[in-house]
Amino acid sequence: MARITQERVEILRQPNNTHDARVSQAVVEVQNQPNNTQFARVTQVVIEVMTKPGPSSGFLWNPFIIS
Amino acid sequence: MLRFLDSFDHLDTTTLYDKWTGFYNNPTDNGIGTATPTPRTGRGCLSSINGGIFKTIDNQQTFICGGAFWFTGLGNGGGIGYNLVNQSPQTKWVMQGDGRAQIFDVHGTAVGTSSIIVNAGNWYFIEFMATLGTAGSATLRINGQTAATCSGSFGGSNGADVINIIGGGGGNAIYVDDFYVFDTNGSFDNTFAGDCAISTITTTADTATIQWATSSGTAHWSLVNEIPPDGDTSYVQTTMTGTSSTGPSDIYNFQHIANNRIIVGVQANIIARKTDLGNRAITLLASNSSTSTAFNTSGQFLNLTYLDFLNQFSSNPLNGSAWTPADFNGISWGYQIVD
């Protein structure tokens, strides 16, 4: 005698209403440059001078920068 | 050949990294002090703790560097390292707790000890020459006197490209002033310089060549002489373009050096930026009564933020001879647009 102990039916289904499509961000990245010439800017120009006292300069720390 | 100078006189803590490449621990470990201790010469000196600061030069087998050092306490380090990438010293000297500096090899083993003892709280002029390699050699001089010579394994054949001022440990700063770096190339500045001062001179007047625009007023020279630099408060600028033969120039007269000095080396500093994206480039100019030269004809390209664009001269670039005060004082310096 054939005997059935369990019968299962699986149903493939979809919601019967339309669900949301969701977008969190939409951006466009643009690689660009200015179409005008920008400034070159200088805020400081100095000269550093490495010196030693000469034969007749006397004490090392005498002022030696002349404005 | 002169590779780098710092008088520590023309920048402040905020602008220190316009000129120096970086730091090894925390940027706030390092700064420019103007009061404590009294700078050895000029307006300021470096104050440094922990790993200190470094300047990347380029790869050399032999470096010579020196400067004035002040140790607030002994036993907490402070010194100079010649490094390869990644903070790896090929050799270094570090001050020890007994006032003697020691020289270390690439493995961190002490291979030389100074015969000269330094006292805390005093300026000493300390110079270090090291030839790198598996059979390296090093000499340390203090106030012009040889304090240690040694040999050892100072890295391989790769040399070093970074000069590191190693700060003090334990919260005790070291102070550094009048700092120089030479290599052994060329016929000038290729060995110990000896006890030197490094001074900063500033603009005093416009020459007849004034072609940039000003942030205000008509005197160009007075907008680029602030110490420390005042950024976008006062400046000269131009939107004009050109080449080294056509670009607009600004050239200035500078303070003079007393004629009884020996000039060892000269470094020009131009602190500049561009104000928007795209390429802008400048060159340093030097001119005297008979000639004018542009040094960076392919351009020193500007960044959006201010950087210190450097040029070093071991000899007079206009005639190739050793510097004399008369020659130096006869030169006007400036810059020109090349892109």
Side-chain angles (χ1 to χ4, degrees), chain A residues 32 34 37-54 56-57 60-61 64-67, chain B residues 7 10 19 193 197 199 201 224 226 231-232 236-238 256 258 260 262 264-265 267 269 271 273 275 277-278 280:
Chain A
N32 68 93
T37 304
Q38 66 277 24
F39 286 105
R41 181 175 291 179
V42 174
T43 189
Q44 185 194 71
V45 54
V46 298
I47 308 295
E48 290 179 298
V49 191
M50 183 178 186
T51 67
K52 297 194 279 194
S56 59
S57 62
L60 175 62
W61 312 126
F64 51 87
I65 296 175
I66 303 167
S67 295
Chain B
S7 60
H10 70 103
K19 185 172 188 177
S199 310
I201 62 171
V224 292
E226 292 84 5
D232 285 342
V236 297
Q237 65 179 11
T238 184
H256 287 176
N260 57 5
I262 296 168
V264 179
Q267 177 174 268
N269 298 255
I271 299 188
R273 77 179 187 95
T275 60
L277 310 177
R280 299 311 316 270

Side-chain angles (χ1 to χ4, degrees), chain B residues 25-280:
Chain B
N25 289 93
N26 189 319
T28 57
D29 288 345
N30 309 287
I32 303 292
T34 57
T36 305
T38 301
R40 182 172 180 262
T41 64
R43 166 185 167 274
C45 63
L46 175 72
S47 169
S48 182
I49 61 173
N50 298 322
I53 60 175
F54 66 91
K55 180 68 179 178
T56 303
I57 307 286
D58 58 22
N59 197 270
Q60 297 291 330
Q61 282 301 122
T62 302
F63 274 119
I64 307 150
C65 79
F69 289 77
W70 169 299
F71 301 90
T72 53
L74 298 170
N76 295 298
I80 292 293
Y82 294 164
N83 295 3
L84 212 45
V85 294
N86 300 328
Q87 197 183 349
S88 58
Q90 307 302 287
T91 184
K92 61 184 176 181
W93 69 261
V94 178
M95 186 55 64
Q96 305 298 304
D98 60 356
R100 299 177 197 267
Q102 284 192 319
I103 299 170
F104 293 83
D105 69 10
V106 70
H107 308 296
T109 302
V111 294
T113 300
S114 170
S115 61
I116 299 172
I117 299 166
V118 307
N119 296 352
N122 290 275
W123 285 114
Y124 290 86
F125 201 82
I126 304 179
E127 299 171 280
F128 185 47
M129 179 190 296
T131 298
L132 305 172
T134 52
S137 61
T139 300
L140 187 76
R141 299 207 323 179
I142 299 179
N143 290 340
Q145 181 180 5
T146 298
T149 59
C150 62
S151 57
S153 178
F154 299 151
S157 59
N158 293 329
D161 53 12
V162 171
I163 306 298
N164 173 208
I165 295 179
I166 304 165
N172 290 320
I174 68 163
Y175 300 96
V176 182
D177 206 352
D178 299 320
F179 185 76
Y180 77 86
V181 180
F182 293 170
D183 63 28
T184 53
N185 298 311
S187 52
F188 298 95
D189 294 344
N190 55 14
T191 187
F192 290 115
D195 193 358
C196 287
I198 299 173
S199 310
T200 295
I201 62 171
T202 58
T203 55
T204 57
D206 293 339
T207 67
T209 303
I210 294 296
Q211 297 166 336
W212 289 37
T214 65
S215 56
S216 64
T218 57
H220 293 221
W221 66 272
S222 64
L223 303 173
V224 292
N225 68 344
E226 292 84 5
I227 291 179
D230 66 358
D232 285 342
T233 301
S234 70
Y235 50 83
V236 297
Q237 65 179 11
T238 184
T239 57
M240 291 188 284
T241 58
T243 67
S244 60
S245 59
T246 63
S249 305
D250 255 22
I251 303 178
Y252 314 105
N253 294 327
F254 281 75
Q255 293 172 300
H256 287 176
I257 293 293
N259 62 11
N260 57 5
R261 304 292 293 187
I262 296 168
I263 297 178
V264 179
V266 171
Q267 177 174 268
N269 298 255
I270 302 171
I271 299 188
R273 77 179 187 95
K274 60 186 178 184
T275 60
D276 203 345
L277 310 177
N279 291 343
R280 299 311 316 270

Side-chain angles (χ1 to χ4, degrees), chain A residues 16 21 29 36-37 40 55 65:
Chain A
N16 63 357
E29 291 179 295
N36 59 335
T37 304
I65 296 175

